[in-house]
Amino acid sequence: MKSSWKNIAEPVVFFITLLILWEILVEVIQVPSFILPPPGDLWVAFIKKLPILGHHSVITFIEAFGGFALSLFLGVGFAIAVVYSRHLQNTIYPLIVILYAMPKSAFAPLMVIWIGYGLYSKIAIAFLVAFFPIVVNTVVGLKEVEPELLELARINRASEFDVFKKIRLPNSLPYLFAGIKVAIVLSVTGAIVAEFVAANEGLGYLVLQANYNLDTAFALVILLILAVLSLGLFWLAELVQRKLAPWSAAVREVEGSF
Amino acid sequence: MPPLIAVGDISRVFTGGARTVTALEHISCDIHTGNFVSIVGPSGCGKSTLLKIISGLLPASSGTVTVHGKHVDSPLENVGMVFQAPVLLKWRSVLGNILLPVEFARLDVPSYIDKARALIKLVGLEGFEEMYPHELSGGMQQRASLCRALVTDPQLLLMDEPFGALDAMTRDELDMELLRIWEERKKTVLFVTHSIQEAVFLSDIVLVMSARPGRLLEKIAVDLPRPRTMEMMSIAKFGEYTLKIRALLAAAGVCAIIGGNRNLLAESFPKTNP
Ligand SMILES: Nc1ncnc2c1ncn2[C@@H]1O[C@H](COP(=O)(O)OP(=O)(O)O)[C@@H](O)[C@H]1O
Ligand SMILES: [Mg+2]
């Protein structure tokens, strides 16, 4: 009990100290506020822009989460197909690997040409960056099965579908969730980058606007909101993992460390 | 009485890439119903390969295996398997793991739950039915995997160094339990081990194999009274059996001998044809 209280108190005290130091330093050194505003200015900017922040946050959330959901759906499906089809493994998989080697953000201008200026081109980029970690992890998870388990299945004349449903799929879940946690954070980055290229709404668009206006305080507020958004999605994934795959080592490790 | 398993001049060659490995060479032996048969030999001599060929999981390069007089060319029906690692499904409880073969074989699961519970009781896992593998010790996990092998009540039990990864005390305990189950349920057991003591202690027959390429050095009938007890390990006859096997292995160039003159020992137990 005592140690868990300490585990909460320690970071809280640390961050409050950090904010106070920031405030004092900016004051003492007299840093111009367009370079580094004091934390108080951030709060003021946050309150002032609150009415518009909601809408833009929702837009970015939809882009990021939409792209992520799409990558989860298609990524898992594709991983299963690759594991079970030698043809796909020989043809589409190398193509995917080549795509993987390209910087996905460089697709953002192309996506505007291909899909247009609106929401969909952002979802496409978020999807693109989130797709690979999902596919790669799921493929590994489906394949890395103890050979003895497969022998056990063969000796009991298990159907291929049973092996998939009762061994491979559950076996892949911890790997999949590792991929999901990477993908979900990347998808937020993807959405922001896509907004940088061409957008008239969303948090990435707001950051650019803040930059043009030298409103550094507001830009930093948006960055903090993005951090909260990413962390929220990450913890959501963690929560779902605990529900769906409570046996996975990562979950037990985290539980043990608190 | 015809043998349950007849291994007829089995050889197995692995060709992987540039290297070819002869794992087994001209193995022949008969295994009779109800016998407890151990296979001992140095690591890499093909014990697991032999077990897989007998179970029908792996084809032989030449030679034939018959079980119940039938030629084995696909996985045997209703065989229990236990491996060195428990290989339990992490996402299933003990009971769920034990019922896995029942589900795979598309048998009626509810009618096997009582059987599974009886087995759980038999191996002393009562009260742990709903626990998950990570909540159990290695010994308990291996007990669960033994139940999983027994749940469909197979006549034949194939065990590949099942207790090799456990500490000595747990291993002794599980050896005793296995003997109890074997006597109670009248199984035929094929038990791979690299412990000579364990092989002698458990078995009616010990098959001694040479290092790669694995050949059958000798088939030794262990004439010790049943039921076996731990105390038997200290009687002279037990020592004679283990020494004989050591000498056989030493004569075949496997350094399984502890001190002493290798040639002298080998001479005192002249090699006989299996
Ligand atoms: N699938 C395989 N492919 C290639 N070589 C193999 C394969 N399985 C076993 N071997 C080789 O056959 C030999 C016997 O292996 P194994 O039966 O596992 O020995 P043991 O169980 O007695 O330790 C070893 O040299 C091993 O490297
Ligand atoms: Mg082996």
Side-chain angles (χ1 to χ4, degrees):
Chain A
M1 252 357 256
K2 203 172 172 187
S3 77
S4 84
W5 181 84
K6 218 174 164 184
N7 281 336
I8 297 170
E10 231 165 27
V12 168
V13 170
F14 171 74
F15 279 108
I16 289 176
T17 313
L18 207 65
L19 286 176
I20 293 172
L21 274 178
W22 177 359
E23 184 88 46
I24 292 172
L25 274 177
V26 168
E27 203 67 29
V28 170
I29 309 175
Q30 298 235 312
V31 185
S33 77
F34 70 87
I35 290 180
L36 186 64
D41 284 14
L42 265 61
W43 180 249
V44 172
F46 174 65
I47 296 297
K48 200 175 97 193
K49 303 279 189 174
L50 203 52
I52 62 161
L53 271 174
H55 168 71
H56 292 278
S57 300
V58 167
I59 291 294
T60 300
F61 174 80
I62 290 172
E63 292 165 356
F65 197 78
F68 163 75
L70 203 61
S71 78
L72 181 61
F73 191 68
L74 295 179
V76 170
F78 182 72
I80 293 169
V82 162
V83 167
Y84 279 95
S85 161
R86 194 150 285 281
H87 297 303
L88 280 179
Q89 204 157 8
N90 290 336
T91 54
I92 311 285
Y93 202 58
L95 182 70
I96 294 285
V97 170
I98 293 170
L99 277 174
Y100 180 53
M102 297 177 180
K104 264 69 65 185
S105 47
F107 277 94
L110 281 173
M111 283 300 169
V112 176
I113 297 173
W114 291 339
I115 308 179
Y117 195 68
L119 223 54
Y120 294 128
S121 61
K122 281 79 184 174
I123 290 178
I125 294 300
F127 159 76
L128 221 48
V129 292
F131 183 66
F132 300 99
I134 302 266
V135 171
V136 172
N137 280 281
T138 310
V139 166
V140 172
L142 290 170
K143 279 186 169 176
E144 301 252 295
V145 171
E146 285 152 308
E148 288 95 340
L149 273 177
L150 300 179
E151 283 175 14
L152 194 77
R154 273 183 67 205
I155 207 85
N156 288 293
R157 298 178 153 59
S159 66
E160 194 57 55
F161 182 66
D162 264 357
V163 172
F164 171 72
K165 193 176 74 176
K166 292 177 176 169
I167 297 181
R168 290 192 190 277
L169 196 61
N171 187 70
S172 75
L173 281 185
Y175 298 82
L176 172 61
F177 274 104
I180 283 177
K181 286 179 200 166
V182 174
I184 211 160
V185 173
L186 279 180
S187 68
V188 176
T189 311
I192 295 297
V193 168
E195 285 175 9
F196 280 174
V197 170
N200 52 16
E201 52 186 351
L203 292 175
Y205 161 78
L206 279 191
V207 169
L208 281 190
Q209 293 301 306
N211 257 23
Y212 294 145
N213 303 330
L214 289 184
D215 190 352
T216 311
F218 186 44
L220 288 174
V221 165
I222 297 165
L223 283 179
L224 284 175
I225 290 173
L226 284 170
V228 169
L229 182 63
S230 294
L231 278 178
L233 288 170
F234 186 90
W235 280 106
L236 186 71
E238 185 81 31
L239 208 75
V240 175
Q241 179 173 18
R242 273 167 204 247
K243 273 269 169 290
L244 282 184
W247 70 86
S248 66
V251 173
R252 264 183 286 135
E253 228 171 68
V254 171
E255 272 173 2
S257 70
F258 279 111
Chain B
M1 202 171 70
L4 173 65
I5 303 170
V7 177
D9 200 25
I10 288 287
S11 295
R12 172 72 210 202
V13 180
F14 287 106
T15 41
R19 295 205 317 175
T20 55
V21 177
T22 306
L24 296 172
E25 214 170 55
H26 302 301
I27 305 262
S28 295
C29 64
D30 289 347
I31 291 161
H32 289 272
T33 306
N35 273 5
F36 198 118
V37 178
S38 287
I39 304 172
V40 273
S43 166
C45 76
K47 305 182 293 294
S48 301
T49 305
L50 181 59
L51 219 54
K52 277 180 202 164
I53 291 175
I54 291 174
S55 69
L57 286 170
L58 192 76
S61 303
S62 66
T64 55
V65 176
T66 60
V67 174
H68 281 305
K70 274 200 308 200
H71 183 64
V72 176
D73 54 7
S74 62
L76 289 178
E77 232 163 287
N78 207 10
V79 171
M81 296 219 294
V82 183
F83 310 94
Q84 181 162 10
V87 285
L88 299 171
L89 300 179
K90 298 189 254 325
W91 50 91
R92 283 195 181 210
S93 67
V94 166
L95 188 62
N97 266 291
I98 294 172
L99 289 169
L100 187 68
V102 178
E103 294 175 29
F104 278 160
R106 303 186 175 279
L107 301 166
D108 178 46
V109 175
S111 67
Y112 276 87
I113 290 176
D114 285 342
K115 283 180 192 158
R117 288 192 188 279
L119 282 168
I120 286 171
K121 198 171 165 187
L122 190 67
V123 302
L125 276 182
E126 240 177 338
F128 294 94
E129 294 89 340
E130 299 309 323
M131 294 250 189
Y132 284 81
H134 71 89
E135 300 171 296
L136 306 179
S137 70
M140 288 157 90
Q141 289 186 25
Q142 201 54 292
R143 283 186 165 92
S145 118
L146 185 59
C147 291
R148 181 180 62 187
L150 291 168
V151 72
T152 54
D153 203 22
Q155 212 322 273
L156 179 62
L157 207 52
L158 302 178
M159 308 181 81
D160 194 351
E161 304 194 30
F163 311 139
L166 302 175
D167 62 275
M169 268 197 298
T170 312
R171 182 184 192 151
D172 286 348
E173 220 174 277
L174 280 167
D175 279 346
M176 290 306 295
E177 242 152 63
L178 177 61
L179 280 184
R180 221 184 63 228
I181 291 166
W182 169 72
E183 263 151 33
E184 201 182 302
R185 308 228 159 174
K186 310 256 176 281
K187 306 283 177 204
T188 307
V189 179
L190 203 49
F191 188 97
V192 168
T193 175
H194 52 237
S195 162
I196 295 169
Q197 291 233 333
E198 192 181 32
V200 173
F201 177 69
L202 293 171
S203 314
D204 300 312
I205 310 276
V206 178
L207 303 173
V208 186
M209 285 177 68
S210 71
R212 196 174 55 229
R215 282 167 290 116
L216 195 56
L217 290 175
E218 191 156 342
K219 179 176 179 176
I220 295 171
V222 180
D223 186 20
L224 291 170
R226 300 252 186 209
R228 303 265 163 92
T229 59
M230 284 287 154
E231 290 78 51
M232 279 180 203
M233 288 197 178
S234 58
I235 66 173
K237 214 168 168 190
F238 188 91
E240 276 167 31
Y241 281 121
T242 56
L243 204 59
K244 181 175 181 181
I245 294 169
R246 271 182 214 288
L248 276 168
L249 290 168
V254 182
C255 291
I257 199 134
I258 306 168
N261 185 322
R262 185 191 282 200
N263 292 328
L264 199 137
L265 267 163
E267 273 161 27
S268 62
F269 297 104
K271 195 187 162 213
T272 50
N273 284 326

